[in-house]
Amino acid sequence: MSENTKNITIKGLFWNAIDRFGNQAIVTIVGIITARILLPEDFGVVAVLMIFSIIATAFVDSGLATSLVRSKVVEEKDYSTMFVFNLAISVVLYFILFFSAPLIEKYNEIEGLTLYSRVLFLQIIVHSFGIVQYVKILKKFQFQLTARINVLSILFAGIVVIAIALLGFGVWALLLQPVFYSLFRTIMLWMWGDWKLNLTFSPDSLKNHFSFSLSFMVSNMLGKVLSPFYSFFIGKHYSLDDTGYYFTGNKWGETPGQTITAIIQGTTLSTLTPIQDDKPRFLNASRKTMCSLAFILVPISFLAICVAKPGFIFFLTDTWIPSVLLFQILCFAGIFTSITDLNVNFLNIKGRSKFFLSLEIIKVTSALLLLYFTIEHGLTTIAVGLLTVRILCYIIAGIMSGKVYGYNLMLQIKDLLPSVIISAIAAAVAYLPLHYNLLQHNLALVIVQSIIFAIIYIGINHIMKNHIWMEILSLLKKKLVKRS
């Protein structure tokens, strides 16, 4: 990795970390507050509707945004074409969903779902207005600006949502959260972005990017639809309370992986594109990125699994105890989801979005098959089925990466294994206070377990002189030297 690429990547990782961790901190606080105020059935209602919102948003994104980010040369007509196309798609989709809302309510037999649907789906149109501005910001490596916009958007939306929940409007707090987030984010993108409204539409530009974006759109939609798809069918076969338990366990279980992966993917898509044709440099950068992901993601996930029970009881109350085991299974599954997504990100940078599409078709097909056999056997069995799908998809993604640019499955396992082994050791020791019931206060238990885990994980990495840990120490020393 060249020094310039390395510096841009480090800068991008720093600001994306500020973005994602700041974003997640606010989401966590809002989530804890709403979980303590609202009922599991309120979360069940949202879980049933999320599948439609996610599919529609994937169509609106349409892959053009990713195609433009990875393109070395982008003209004004490309931006304006993307804006017009995405806006038109969003309006069409909203009206389709608007008139389909009564059918959704009838199928799920949930009173009021028609109105809930029509309000939630407004997010689709609002979201489409900000895509071009966001792409231009990424193309200029303005990671600081994206961090500011994303954090402020979720903060303002969170304040509104908490107010709605405290005023007693129940499920509306959850339904309006994504709508307000998209609204605040879009407003700020137009305030601080530099793209001027242009309605020029170029069929040639659309055609040029469509070959990549079509595969990416379908793949992206299939990739995002799996979790809400499960929630949707659980909502049909189980009570709203059970659906809410699964939705909450899955939402928090996916959080560590989604947060860390978003930091790294948001950076690498921009910074690795310039070296996509240099195979040795690209492979080296990919390995470095995978090691960095594992070094952070694996211990955070293992720690989250370790402290899950006292954490849920203290922060979300006893109401959510049925979500704990689901959270632990799906949090572990999230590790495989993240490393699969990173492989897919590398493949997309190399222009192989068709590999992404093939993987998602396999994923959805196998998930449907396992869901068919597990749906009647309880939520835990369903979660284990989803974990199996995640592992299978990672194996396939590793094989694909090996064929395209040489980062094969065995090489990836070699890079991942140190973080997995050290995290497992740290988790086993940190679990002892809970196992032997050494502390009665749940918050104290979470803190003690976390400290034990951190000391062991960092200590072993330091003794073994793990290269990622050594680089982190080196960067910290440089920062301290500059300040002094």
Side-chain angles (χ1 to χ4, degrees):
M1 190 181 293
S2 69
E3 194 62 29
N4 185 48
T5 302
K6 183 177 180 180
N7 290 336
I8 293 173
T9 302
I10 290 173
K11 180 182 177 182
L13 286 172
F14 174 78
W15 283 110
N16 270 308
I18 296 293
D19 178 357
R20 297 309 304 180
F21 283 124
N23 195 304
Q24 192 55 53
I26 297 167
V27 168
T28 300
I29 293 170
V30 174
I32 289 171
I33 294 172
T34 52
R36 295 177 75 95
I37 298 172
L38 304 177
L39 301 173
E41 66 183 52
D42 294 327
F43 289 85
V45 171
V46 175
V48 167
L49 292 176
M50 286 307 295
I51 185 171
F52 301 103
S53 183
I54 288 173
I55 291 175
T57 302
F59 269 104
V60 173
D61 285 337
S62 69
L64 288 175
T66 303
S67 181
L68 291 181
V69 171
R70 64 173 295 275
S71 298
K72 295 178 179 178
V73 179
V74 180
E75 299 177 5
E76 177 60 28
K77 66 178 182 179
D78 296 316
Y79 289 118
S80 60
T81 298
M82 182 176 73
F83 179 81
V84 173
F85 181 78
N86 285 344
L87 182 59
I89 288 291
S90 70
V91 172
V92 171
L93 285 173
Y94 179 76
F95 278 106
I96 290 173
L97 290 170
F98 182 92
F99 291 109
S100 301
L103 297 177
I104 297 173
E105 178 176 328
K106 183 178 179 180
Y107 176 80
N108 289 280
E109 300 176 347
I110 300 173
E111 187 179 352
L113 206 60
T114 297
L115 180 59
Y116 296 155
S117 304
R118 288 170 174 174
V119 173
L120 176 64
F121 298 152
L122 286 171
Q123 178 204 8
I124 299 164
I125 296 178
V126 177
H127 173 74
S128 69
F129 276 93
I131 296 175
V132 172
Q133 295 286 13
Y134 188 69
V135 169
K136 289 211 71 175
I137 291 171
L138 285 182
K139 293 288 288 184
K140 293 181 178 180
F141 306 122
Q142 293 177 306
F143 302 113
Q144 182 177 358
L145 183 56
T146 61
R148 185 199 314 167
I149 290 171
N150 289 334
V151 171
L152 287 177
S153 300
I154 199 67
L155 175 62
F156 294 155
I159 292 171
V160 174
V161 165
I162 291 172
I164 293 172
L166 289 173
L167 289 171
F169 287 97
V171 70
W172 283 107
L174 301 175
L175 291 167
L176 290 172
Q177 185 172 12
V179 178
F180 278 113
Y181 170 72
S182 293
L183 178 62
F184 289 128
R185 185 172 180 270
T186 300
I187 290 171
M188 281 183 273
L189 282 169
W190 279 91
M191 284 172 57
W192 290 318
D194 64 358
W195 185 70
K196 305 301 179 185
L197 183 62
N198 185 342
L199 299 180
T200 302
F201 182 81
S202 169
D204 291 335
S205 175
L206 182 63
K207 183 180 179 181
N208 181 44
H209 291 280
F210 207 66
S211 59
F212 174 90
S213 63
L214 181 61
S215 295
F216 184 86
M217 177 190 70
V218 178
S219 307
N220 190 39
M221 180 187 68
L222 293 175
K224 290 181 177 180
V225 80
L226 194 56
S227 290
F229 182 83
Y230 267 59
S231 295
F232 178 75
F233 275 92
I234 288 171
K236 181 64 178 175
H237 290 82
Y238 291 82
S239 68
L240 275 181
D241 279 352
D242 284 337
T243 306
Y245 291 135
Y246 182 89
F247 176 75
T248 299
N250 185 59
K251 180 183 72 173
W252 292 105
E254 289 182 336
T255 295
Q258 287 182 342
T259 303
I260 305 300
T261 306
I263 293 169
I264 293 177
Q265 283 188 321
T267 305
T268 55
L269 184 60
S270 300
T271 59
L272 297 190
T273 293
I275 62 171
Q276 61 183 285
D277 298 323
D278 189 333
K279 189 172 181 178
R281 286 178 66 198
F282 187 82
L283 176 58
N284 181 57
S286 299
R287 293 192 66 184
K288 187 71 170 290
T289 305
M290 182 68 77
C291 288
S292 300
L293 174 67
F295 182 83
I296 301 170
L297 171 64
V298 175
I300 289 177
S301 298
F302 273 60
L303 176 60
I305 292 168
C306 188
V307 303
K309 186 175 181 180
F312 265 68
I313 293 173
F314 179 80
F315 291 106
L316 304 184
T317 73
D318 293 352
T319 302
W320 296 97
I321 288 178
S323 294
V324 172
L325 181 57
L326 299 171
F327 164 83
Q328 292 171 320
I329 296 170
L330 296 169
C331 188
F332 185 64
I335 297 174
F336 294 96
T337 302
S338 296
I339 54 180
T340 302
D341 288 346
L342 191 59
N343 274 282
V344 168
N345 194 46
F346 294 146
L347 290 168
N348 284 332
I349 292 172
K350 297 289 286 185
R352 302 299 183 92
S353 60
K354 291 182 180 179
F355 279 90
F356 184 17
L357 178 58
S358 300
L359 176 63
E360 295 306 328
I361 291 173
I362 294 170
K363 180 195 294 183
V364 171
T365 303
S366 58
L368 284 173
L369 188 62
L370 277 171
L371 183 60
Y372 175 79
F373 286 110
T374 60
I375 192 70
E376 301 294 341
H377 299 284
L379 298 179
T380 302
T381 307
I382 293 171
V384 172
L386 186 55
L387 168 61
T388 305
V389 173
R390 299 299 191 189
I391 295 173
L392 173 65
C393 289
Y394 167 62
I395 293 171
I396 296 171
I399 294 171
M400 290 178 177
S401 292
K403 289 182 178 180
V404 173
Y405 60 96
Y407 198 12
N408 59 59
L409 193 61
M410 294 308 298
L411 198 57
Q412 290 190 31
I413 292 174
K414 179 183 176 182
D415 290 338
L416 293 167
L417 210 52
S419 295
V420 173
I421 293 173
I422 298 171
S423 296
I425 294 170
V429 178
Y431 181 73
L432 294 178
L434 175 62
H435 180 73
Y436 290 105
N437 199 26
L438 298 180
L439 293 168
Q440 299 302 316
H441 195 282
N442 288 301
L443 179 59
L445 190 54
V446 170
I447 294 171
V448 169
Q449 286 184 280
S450 300
I451 292 172
I452 293 172
F453 187 99
I455 291 172
I456 294 174
Y457 184 76
I458 294 173
I460 295 177
N461 276 291
H462 191 75
I463 293 170
M464 295 181 63
K465 297 189 183 300
N466 178 285
H467 64 99
I468 300 295
W469 173 244
M470 291 297 109
E471 282 202 12
I472 292 173
L473 285 180
S474 178
L475 287 171
L476 291 174
K477 288 177 181 177
K478 288 179 181 178
K479 291 286 184 183
L480 291 173
V481 170
K482 284 183 180 180
R483 288 184 179 181
S484 60

